[in-house]
Amino acid sequence: MKIPLVDLHAQYLGIKNEIDTAIASVISESSFIKGRHVRDFQEGFAQLMGVNHCVPCGNGTDALYIVQKMLGIGLGDEVITTAHSWIATSETITQCGARVVFVDTTKDTFTIDPGKIEEKITDRTKAIIPVHLYGHPADMDPILEIARKYGLHVIEDCAQAHLAEYKGRKVGTMGHAATFSFYPGKNLGAMGDAGCIVTNDDELVEKCRRYAGHGALKKHDHTMEGINSRMDGLQAAVLNVKMKYIHQWTNERIRVAEQYDKLFASFDGIQTPVKAEWAKHVYHLYVIKTEKRDELVTYLDSNNIQTAIQYPIALPYLEAYSYLGHSDIDFPVARRNQDLILSIPMYPELAEEAQKAVVNAIQMV
């Protein structure tokens, strides 16, 4: 039996008729760019999140870049973010002309350590980008308090945390703005690239919409130079179908995670995901920590069980950031975790028997 890390085809088969009908409607209407499907998504996702505005974009990376650019972040500025994330978080800071400033993470939730943020603030700091990683929220209250104290923007990176909650509040609703990715493997995924910005700021949303559409809110009305970052009609139509199931799929992910927790309960040498008491973890990934990580990867692969390492090199230690001159002692938690973490199969349709097969294989190493 082959057990994939994520099974997008199983998800498709469960809603095949609705997806096929939605795609066919886009084709029949030729509403490939803008159109009713994008408008429906824009309104539907804002309602799902409980915010005033949603700006559909080409992808989650664009969303991060657009928000920073429209908040006025640029040359000479600094933006603080986590040492443990995908490079999209940090590269967009550099794309704006600003300098990325990394902060170490908490030991067990992999999110930015609020206690280490303030020491990184200078008179050039303009924003903090916390990442709600793997489906677990960052500890937002102290982050927001620091931001208020120093007059900083907070941009939530929610690419892996659709419907996660912090103290009963949805992630993406606490900062000045938030960004989401709908990459196919996300908890709410398109069938291609797509992303969005959410905010309650009326002025910011207009700027973001304009910048994402070549600097215009309507054709030929270019009040600024912008970029081309549009969610296409096909992706919006797919997401409109999937949005109806996101609560159900989220509950199923939590059920799968709880089953893993039970199966691993008697294991030595395996640390299962830690969930803070104030968090609703939505398990975009189920990430274990073990000293036997590399040995496990080889063994599980030989037994047709797919795994992944998200991420094998913490951001400050990537060659792309060698110019910052960081050493291992600068981010000891992130540096240590990069050698221990392993993502094992996690998706709503994952059967209990498949989970048992995964855990039994891990027990053999």
Side-chain angles (χ1 to χ4, degrees):
M1 177 172 62
K2 185 173 182 178
I3 305 175
L5 184 70
V6 60
D7 193 342
L8 297 180
H9 190 62
Q11 183 186 77
Y12 166 66
L13 291 177
I15 53 175
K16 182 179 185 301
N17 290 339
E18 290 179 82
I19 291 290
D20 291 353
T21 299
I23 291 173
S25 70
V26 175
I27 295 170
S28 67
E29 298 166 16
S30 296
S31 58
F32 302 110
I33 303 296
K34 298 185 178 180
R36 70 175 179 92
H37 300 285
V38 177
R39 289 194 300 272
D40 287 349
F41 171 80
Q42 179 177 301
E43 294 170 5
F45 195 73
Q47 183 176 7
L48 177 70
M49 292 300 300
V51 296
N52 294 338
H53 307 293
C54 170
V55 182
C57 301
N59 53 71
T61 306
D62 281 359
L64 278 166
Y65 169 70
I66 291 166
V67 169
Q68 291 176 79
K69 193 76 173 176
M70 293 302 96
L71 285 172
I73 294 168
L75 192 64
D77 295 335
E78 294 178 352
V79 176
I80 290 171
T81 194
T82 175
H84 189 144
S85 184
W86 176 239
I87 195 171
T89 308
S90 51
E91 71 184 353
T92 55
I93 296 170
T94 308
Q95 287 164 6
C96 287
R99 184 179 180 88
V100 59
V101 177
F102 292 114
V103 171
D104 207 3
T105 59
T106 62
K107 180 182 176 183
D108 294 323
T109 67
F110 307 106
T111 56
I112 192 168
D113 186 343
K116 297 180 179 178
I117 291 176
E118 202 162 1
E119 65 192 52
K120 298 294 183 79
I121 293 173
T122 72
D123 58 2
R124 296 182 297 278
T125 307
K126 293 296 186 293
I128 305 170
I129 304 181
V131 180
H132 305 297
L133 199 71
Y134 302 156
H136 192 289
D139 189 358
M140 290 300 296
D141 279 350
I143 295 171
L144 294 168
E145 180 58 35
I146 291 169
R148 282 190 291 268
K149 179 179 178 180
Y150 290 94
L152 307 177
H153 298 296
V154 175
I155 305 163
E156 297 177 68
D157 183 341
C158 307
Q160 299 185 359
H162 309 70
L163 295 190
E165 294 181 7
Y166 173 78
K167 298 182 179 180
R169 293 170 285 173
K170 288 189 179 75
V171 302
T173 64
M174 292 169 277
H176 293 87
T179 63
F180 286 83
S181 167
F182 304 111
Y183 184 81
K186 303 298 187 184
N187 291 24
L188 179 60
M191 290 185 168
D193 271 325
C196 80
I197 299 159
V198 297
T199 184
N200 288 318
D201 187 325
D202 296 341
E203 182 179 350
L204 178 61
V205 73
E206 181 172 328
K207 289 180 179 178
C208 290
R209 286 197 204 286
R210 190 178 293 277
Y211 191 73
H214 293 290
L217 293 178
K218 59 182 180 179
K219 200 168 186 178
H220 307 307
D221 178 28
H222 304 280
T223 60
M224 66 169 77
E225 290 183 327
I227 63 171
N228 178 16
S229 183
R230 297 177 293 212
M231 180 186 290
D232 69 65
L234 287 168
Q235 304 311 328
V238 168
L239 289 168
N240 287 335
V241 172
K242 289 189 174 186
M243 263 198 292
K244 296 186 292 185
Y245 297 93
I246 185 61
H247 287 288
Q248 174 188 329
W249 291 339
T250 299
N251 290 337
E252 287 299 301
R253 284 180 178 275
I254 294 170
R255 179 194 59 77
V256 170
E258 289 174 346
Q259 178 64 19
Y260 267 139
D261 290 346
K262 292 177 184 177
L263 292 171
F264 279 119
S266 61
F267 274 43
D268 291 326
I270 299 290
Q271 181 180 314
T272 55
V274 173
K275 182 175 74 70
E277 61 181 2
W278 39 255
K280 178 182 178 180
H281 195 328
V282 295
Y283 299 97
H284 170 58
L285 300 169
Y286 190 90
V287 180
I288 62 173
K289 292 203 295 187
T290 174
E291 298 280 355
K292 303 183 292 183
R293 195 269 305 280
D294 295 342
E295 189 179 353
L296 266 179
V297 169
T298 301
Y299 183 78
L300 293 175
D301 181 64
S302 69
N303 283 271
N304 293 315
I305 298 172
Q306 187 179 26
T307 62
I309 302 170
Q310 284 119 340
Y311 303 94
I313 304 175
L315 288 173
Y317 306 118
L318 290 171
E319 185 177 349
Y321 299 107
S322 60
Y323 69 92
L324 294 174
H326 289 304
S327 66
D328 288 354
I329 63 172
D330 293 334
F331 309 95
V333 177
R335 178 62 186 83
R336 177 63 175 148
N337 279 337
Q338 75 179 32
D339 295 332
L340 303 176
I341 52 176
L342 182 65
S343 301
I344 62 175
M346 162 56 75
Y347 46 95
E349 300 83 8
L350 186 62
E352 186 174 334
E353 287 306 307
Q355 286 187 264
K356 289 179 179 178
V358 171
V359 174
N360 288 339
I362 291 173
Q363 193 171 28
M364 298 298 292
V365 178

